[in-house]
Amino acid sequence: MKSCPDEAANGYAGRLSHVPKVFIEHRDKDGKAWADCHVDDSQAQGISKVALMVARYAGHPDLVQQVTRMVDVLQISPISIESSVLLAKLFERILFKHESPATAISSLLEDAERVQLTAWQRHVLTFITSDALIGDFVSFAQALNNIPAAADDAWRNMRINGKVLQHCFSLAHPDATLSEAIDRAKAELSASDRDVVSQAVDARVSAETLSNPLDQILLVTRSLGLSCALPSALLISLYILRESSSLTEAVERNIRVGGDNCSRAMVVAAAFAAYDDNVDEVLADWESKVQVSWWQPVSQFLLRAPTVSFRLV
């Protein structure tokens, strides 16, 4: 019996990331039903596809339900659902109110009760709109980075910083302060890592604001972590949106930040595409600068793909 019924499921021959690889293994090797092939994972797969769902269901009462179902196809991940639903409500606001992404982030937080944001979603927006809260985290990350690591422990800072960030944005404690997150993280770290955290806490100084906007973005985003994991991918996407004023600026800054900029590009580009009335001109300009041999296969594939309708209800 053929386990993958169509080209969309089995036709891609390139590199697969962890989530689709395990998804296919669940089907081919374990014989699971399609609905049971999802993976316990909190990477950025969900948030990277939100724009497609908003294009189809913006203004429809089923938007949240459809976004949740979209995430559930690949991931069993409450934080991915929370992140994806938050972005769906942000994109919908940009479309219907024609607010810039930066304005929409702030106004969505102000309208949190009416649009039924969860406590965790409010916590994310409160953080990303607060220079003081961002500065506190950056100061901790900088202090941690200034403590020499053993030659055979190159991942120390990523390990510790990631654990602290995880507790800063825990679904179980959606109102956690940085100090509380550090204490909870220390309880799960090794003795040597706990000692490093204590040194970093004692060595913290107020994070400076850099005069060059790109340098400031690089400082903040690298402190938050550049991997595809949530909440980092969500927070960095939102911060780039907060600090950018155009599609071109946002996309270029996202590229320069590095890390998982491909997943984040689906977020920052979609947000500005929803807002920028000149998006077609921008895309045409970009296409004109790319060699035909690179762009044409992508263009032809998109022409063959099913059309996603934009529905206003």
Side-chain angles (χ1 to χ4, degrees):
M1 177 178 176
K2 188 177 180 181
S3 62
C4 298
D6 53 43
E7 181 181 352
N10 203 31
Y12 176 67
R15 178 188 177 276
L16 292 173
S17 63
H18 171 72
V19 174
K21 185 184 299 182
V22 177
F23 177 91
I24 292 173
E25 288 176 356
H26 283 172
R27 180 66 179 178
D28 286 349
K29 294 182 180 179
D30 302 334
K32 291 185 177 182
W34 285 108
D36 298 325
C37 290
H38 43 200
V39 183
D40 185 3
D41 179 89
S42 59
Q43 296 181 75
Q45 269 81 6
I47 67 171
S48 67
K49 297 188 286 290
V50 170
L52 293 173
M53 304 307 295
V54 174
R56 176 65 178 83
Y57 290 101
H60 194 282
D62 288 344
L63 174 63
V64 170
Q65 182 183 41
Q66 295 297 340
V67 169
T68 301
R69 288 176 174 175
M70 174 272 292
V71 174
D72 189 59
V73 170
L74 282 180
Q75 297 171 286
I76 311 170
S77 171
I79 193 173
S80 186
I81 291 173
E82 288 272 348
S83 300
S84 299
V85 169
L86 174 59
L87 286 178
K89 292 184 177 183
L90 177 65
F91 290 171
E92 189 178 47
R93 191 177 194 90
I94 294 170
L95 278 170
F96 291 154
K97 293 186 176 294
H98 200 64
E99 295 177 346
S100 70
T103 299
I105 289 170
S106 297
S107 66
L108 185 62
L109 178 58
E110 294 170 0
D111 209 14
E113 185 172 352
R114 188 187 66 81
V115 299
Q116 298 181 322
L117 294 186
T118 65
W120 186 87
Q121 291 165 349
R122 297 183 194 199
H123 182 54
V124 167
L125 294 183
T126 298
F127 176 84
I128 215 66
T129 56
S130 170
D131 288 333
L133 293 176
I134 292 172
D136 285 345
F137 194 91
V138 170
S139 67
F140 170 76
Q142 286 183 304
L144 180 64
N145 193 54
N146 289 335
I147 299 171
D152 60 350
D153 194 9
W155 301 104
R156 185 203 68 184
N157 291 354
M158 181 180 292
R159 180 176 64 249
I160 294 175
N161 208 46
K163 183 66 69 174
V164 172
L165 191 70
Q166 176 186 337
H167 283 284
C168 273
F169 295 94
S170 165
L171 290 171
H173 305 283
D175 57 349
T177 64
L178 177 58
S179 295
E180 292 169 342
I182 289 172
D183 289 340
R184 293 187 179 111
K186 288 173 70 175
E188 299 176 6
L189 293 170
S190 66
S192 59
D193 280 352
R194 289 198 297 270
D195 181 60
V196 171
V197 171
S198 296
Q199 293 179 53
V201 170
D202 292 340
R204 280 187 301 175
V205 296
S206 297
E208 61 177 323
T209 301
L210 304 179
S211 57
N212 183 294
L214 179 59
D215 288 342
Q216 179 66 18
I217 289 172
L218 294 176
L219 173 65
V220 171
T221 54
R222 289 172 183 175
S223 297
L224 292 172
L226 301 179
S227 77
C228 54
L230 297 170
S232 294
L234 172 67
L235 295 171
I236 293 176
S237 298
L238 291 173
Y239 187 74
I240 291 173
L241 290 175
R242 192 197 100 161
E243 294 297 308
S244 302
S245 57
S246 70
L247 173 62
T248 299
E249 185 175 60
V251 170
E252 288 182 352
R253 286 175 169 178
N254 179 57
I255 292 170
R256 290 177 180 272
V257 165
D260 184 32
N261 48 22
C262 54
S263 295
R264 299 193 311 263
M266 306 292 188
V267 177
V268 299
F272 271 102
Y275 170 70
D276 193 341
D277 294 332
N278 298 316
V279 62
D280 289 338
E281 296 176 15
V282 173
L283 296 180
D285 179 58
W286 288 351
E287 183 178 344
S288 70
K289 297 174 182 176
V290 178
Q291 292 184 26
V292 174
S293 60
W294 297 349
W295 173 252
Q296 199 168 50
V298 177
S299 179
Q300 291 173 347
F301 172 80
L302 292 175
L303 289 173
R304 293 196 306 270
T307 301
V308 178
S309 62
F310 177 61
R311 178 178 180 180
L312 297 178
V313 178

